[in-house]
Amino acid sequence: MIAAPLVIAPSILAADFAHLADEARAVAGAADWLHVDVMDNHFVPNLTIGLPVVQSLLKASELPFDVHLMIERPARWAPSYAEAGAYNVTFHAEACADPAALAKDLRAAGSRAGLAIDRDTPVEGYLELLPHFDTLLIMTIKAGFGGQAFLPEMLAKVRAARRHVDAGHLEVRIEVDGGIAADTIAAAAAAGADAFVAGTAVYGADDPAEAVRRLRARAAAAAGGTGAAGGPEVGR
């Protein structure tokens, strides 16, 4: 059962990188988080932005930053994003030998801790770790590139995670990332997701803020709630 307000997190991976500060401001007042994809050309084949850009962008937006690290050696780099002021820092289970220890370090550094599960990774082996985390990010595409088509078969992981979270009365966000748009967000919400990363569906629209509102309405209708934005503390 989803009790907390839904979270819509536009992904700047789909934004105009020449005007990132303006793109962040374009969704202010509508979005809950700003999703920032960090890719290192090792864990995934793409290369995006790193810590210096995130530090600069944090100064240009009051939205809570949802940093998604698609990188090798996250234990080396992740705490720096927390220290910089990111609200939530998520790293991949596949890249980390001791996810619980890194989650503890992230919380100590001032951020929420998120665990990401890629397309080909079963979620069951990580469910018992969820008490250490604030967010479970389930990829609904293969990590590494934006603009991919949503994979509905990934919703089985969302349903399994939702059952586990509800049965354990855990305060953990179940986030989905990949192909989230007007025609897919309802299915993700119905499966139990309560945080949604949307890239081209937001930044490919003429009015990004209005696109966020429409996505929220669709998700809320499917989840049976209002979906109202909850501000920075919506992460719980």
Side-chain angles (χ1 to χ4, degrees), residues 24-44:
R25 286 190 284 266
V27 295
D32 303 283
W33 299 346
L34 190 66
H35 189 82
V36 182
D37 289 304
V38 175
M39 306 183 194
D40 65 356
N41 194 32
H42 293 284
F43 179 71
V44 293

Side-chain angles (χ1 to χ4, degrees), residues 83-164:
E83 292 165 0
Y87 175 74
N88 185 75
V89 178
T90 294
F91 60 90
H92 271 263
E94 302 87 358
C96 186
D98 192 343
L102 181 49
K104 183 178 179 180
D105 290 344
L106 287 171
R107 287 173 166 177
S111 77
R112 305 293 175 92
L115 184 69
I117 304 295
D118 204 0
R119 180 193 65 187
D120 299 328
T121 301
V123 72
E124 288 78 10
Y126 296 97
L127 294 178
E128 295 303 322
L129 293 179
L130 291 186
H132 300 281
F133 288 90
D134 303 285
T135 306
L136 174 66
L137 173 59
I138 295 175
M139 296 300 299
T140 43
I141 58 170
K142 175 64 177 173
F145 290 92
Q148 298 180 59
F150 177 81
L151 298 173
E153 58 268 32
M154 296 296 104
L155 294 183
K157 296 183 187 180
V158 176
R159 287 188 283 269
R162 172 54 60 193
R163 288 192 296 269
H164 187 84

Side-chain angles (χ1 to χ4, degrees), residues 51 54-55 58 79-86 109:
L51 182 61
V54 174
Q55 289 171 322
L58 278 161
S80 296
Y81 289 88
E83 292 165 0

